[in-house]
Amino acid sequence: MITIALPKGRIADDTLAIFRKIFDMKFEFEDRKLILSEGNFKFLYVRNQDIPAYVTNGAADIGVVGLDVLEEHRPDVLRLLDLGIGKCKICVGIKKENELDYNAARLKVATKMPNITRNFFAGKATPVKIIKLYGSIELAPLIGLADAIVDNVETGATMKQNGLKVAEVIMQSSAHLIANRNSFITKRDEILDLREKINGVI
């Protein structure tokens, strides 16, 4: 049995579609259930940010999680494969009439990704004050809470609708298959076989 942690939402749907293609099984969460068992697989339905914790602590053998989450939290896991789904960009956003000033004495930046943000601006030698937010991040520059935001962007439509623009792209992100280090030793053949099957259909 291989236990797989999946993030809620579109990435879970796209991942289960890959499994349906490979194994010709139903692979579908019903109602509000958080556990799905079928064949030799057990899927856990969890928040994207929690995937590394499930995998690192052995509650799941493998998981599917965005590269942005991996870069933000740097969990002690093995990165097995870029699945090429859930693509987005991590961007710096500012008010559309402004320009991003890397020479500012200090920038206030609102984000749910403080480590990625801090590392990016450190590379520009720009001091920042991080304001940690969990939602409606686009609001921060509009009301003067922050000079800029760092957030996930798929199309940029949300930023535009809120009077913001993309000032800089920090990184590209997509969903990655990761593995628990101990599981990779004890279930190596099963995990590698699954990786090859997935790689063959993406």
Side-chain angles (χ1 to χ4, degrees):
M1 176 73 73
I2 293 180
T3 301
I4 305 163
L6 294 182
K8 294 181 177 181
R10 188 167 52 84
I11 293 178
D13 295 338
D14 291 347
T15 304
L16 290 174
I18 291 171
F19 273 79
R20 289 184 206 111
K21 190 182 296 186
I22 296 170
F23 297 103
D24 194 27
M25 293 182 183
K26 188 178 176 184
F27 290 124
E28 195 170 304
F29 282 96
E30 295 177 358
D31 300 323
R32 295 178 178 271
K33 290 186 178 178
L34 301 176
I35 298 176
L36 163 65
S37 295
E38 194 156 353
N40 194 38
F41 302 101
K42 179 164 70 174
F43 295 92
L44 310 177
Y45 201 39
V46 302
R47 284 185 59 189
N48 191 37
Q49 289 85 354
D50 292 337
I51 300 284
Y54 279 77
V55 176
T56 302
N57 292 291
D61 300 305
I62 60 178
V64 175
V65 66
L67 180 61
D68 55 320
V69 176
L70 294 176
E71 290 299 309
E72 174 65 25
H73 300 288
R74 294 282 179 169
D76 185 22
V77 297
L78 296 172
R79 301 184 187 188
L80 300 179
L81 185 64
D82 181 351
L83 299 177
I85 57 177
K87 290 182 178 179
C88 66
K89 295 176 285 192
I90 309 306
C91 299
V92 181
I94 57 175
K95 291 169 73 172
K96 63 182 179 182
E97 65 270 19
N98 292 350
E99 295 301 324
L100 190 57
D101 182 10
Y102 291 116
N103 295 316
R106 186 176 69 163
L107 289 174
K108 292 185 293 180
V109 184
T111 185
K112 60 185 176 186
M113 296 172 278
N115 294 324
I116 288 174
T117 301
R118 197 174 289 109
N119 291 340
F120 173 75
F121 283 101
K124 302 286 187 181
T126 302
V128 291
K129 176 184 179 182
I130 304 288
I131 300 168
K132 185 81 180 285
L133 296 178
Y134 295 94
S136 302
I137 294 171
E138 292 84 4
L139 187 60
L142 304 179
I143 61 170
L145 178 62
D147 302 303
I149 65 171
V150 170
D151 201 10
N152 301 55
V153 175
E154 288 186 36
T155 64
T158 304
M159 277 199 188
K160 285 179 184 175
Q161 287 168 3
N162 288 284
L164 304 180
K165 66 180 179 181
V166 172
E168 189 95 58
V169 176
I170 295 177
M171 63 176 285
Q172 304 282 342
S173 180
S174 56
H176 280 57
L177 186 71
I178 60 173
N180 173 276
R181 290 186 178 277
N182 289 333
S183 295
F184 192 72
I185 294 170
T186 59
K187 302 179 181 181
R188 181 184 178 88
D189 292 342
E190 294 168 84
I191 291 173
L192 287 178
D193 181 60
L194 179 58
R195 184 185 70 172
E196 290 310 304
K197 283 186 169 71
I198 292 173
N199 197 34
V201 298
I202 60 175

